[in-house]
């Protein structure tokens, strides 16, 4: 109960989203040597992943973690009051490398967006691939092992 309240408060504070945790699927499982993740369902039956790390992690790291966990992301929630956060950071980093370029496109900054700091991370999940959620395990030959079995697929409606 305390973990759920702390999670709701952290999400509200960092991302400005009001979520009501209905069920915790996995709580604070390791997803890298320094990061842990909590996967939970809200009262609106939406599946969210919340990742925190002791070291710096980037948007690219988070994308890789989501994929390695066997999840499919629908939306990477930007920090509160910064809806264009990933594009802002991508443009800034692009201009550091190419200071003379004036007209830049989405394709130009695609790589540089992955360098944006993203700790903590908050992701809306659209699907659990194969119905298995994986966690980091340094002893496994693939570095990942099954943490839980959970079937979920979000069906988009108009």
């Amino acid at each position: 109960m305390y973990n759920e309240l702390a999670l709701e408060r952290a999400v509200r504070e960092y991302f400005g989203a009001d979520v009501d945790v209905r069920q915790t699927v996995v709580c604070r499982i390791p997803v890298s040597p320094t990061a842990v993740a909590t996967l939970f369902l809200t009262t609106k039956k939406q599946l969210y992943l919340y990742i925190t790390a002791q070291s710096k992690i980037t948007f690219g790291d988070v994308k890789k973690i989501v994929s390695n966990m066997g999840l499919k992301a629908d939306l990477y929630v930007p920090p509160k009051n910064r809806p264009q956060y990933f594009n802002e950071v991508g443009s800034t980093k692009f201009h550091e490398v190419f200071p003379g370029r004036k007209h830049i496109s989405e394709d130009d900054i695609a790589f540089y967006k992955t360098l944006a700091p993203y700790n903590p991370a908050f992701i809306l999940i659209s699907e659990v691939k194969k119905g298995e959620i994986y966690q980091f395990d340094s002893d496994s030959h693939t570095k990942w092992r099954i943490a839980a079995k959970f079937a979920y697929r979000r069906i988009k409606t108009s």
Side-chain angles (χ1 to χ4, degrees):
M1 185 70 165
Y2 175 74
N3 285 341
E4 291 173 359
L5 291 173
L7 180 64
E8 288 172 5
R9 194 179 94 239
V11 167
R12 195 174 307 110
E13 183 179 316
Y14 288 110
F15 301 100
D18 277 328
V19 294
D20 293 322
V21 177
R22 186 177 135 229
Q23 175 191 353
T24 303
V25 180
V26 290
C27 186
R28 300 189 56 79
I29 60 168
V31 292
S32 83
T34 62
V36 293
T38 299
L39 187 70
F40 63 93
L41 268 173
T42 65
T43 53
K44 295 179 182 176
K45 301 208 176 15
Q46 292 177 310
L47 189 65
Y48 282 101
L49 180 67
Y50 182 76
I51 301 172
T52 57
Q54 296 170 349
S55 62
K56 294 180 181 178
I57 57 173
T58 63
F59 181 48
D61 296 334
V62 170
K63 287 171 103 171
K64 191 167 188 146
I65 287 169
V66 169
S67 176
N68 286 336
M69 287 182 73
L71 306 173
K72 191 172 178 184
D74 189 31
L75 173 69
Y76 293 92
V77 181
K80 182 165 74 171
N81 299 327
R82 293 186 71 186
Q84 295 298 315
Y85 172 72
F86 301 113
N87 288 334
E88 290 168 12
V89 174
S91 296
T92 302
K93 296 213 182 268
F94 182 84
H95 283 299
E96 288 173 8
V97 177
F98 303 104
R101 295 270 308 267
K102 297 290 181 221
H103 304 289
I104 58 172
S105 69
E106 187 70 28
D107 293 338
D108 292 334
I109 64 169
F111 167 72
Y112 297 94
K113 287 191 329 188
T114 64
L115 303 176
Y118 197 34
N119 184 20
F122 188 53
I123 306 105
L124 175 62
I125 302 298
S126 64
E127 177 182 352
V128 177
K129 301 175 201 169
K130 298 190 233 170
E132 297 170 340
I133 300 161
Y134 293 86
Q135 75 179 43
F136 180 76
D137 182 5
S138 60
D139 293 336
S140 171
H141 73 285
T142 62
K143 299 290 184 212
W144 293 86
R145 67 178 170 86
I146 295 175
K149 292 188 182 283
F150 186 76
Y152 180 86
R153 179 173 288 145
R154 187 164 163 232
I155 300 169
K156 294 218 179 211
T157 57
S158 55

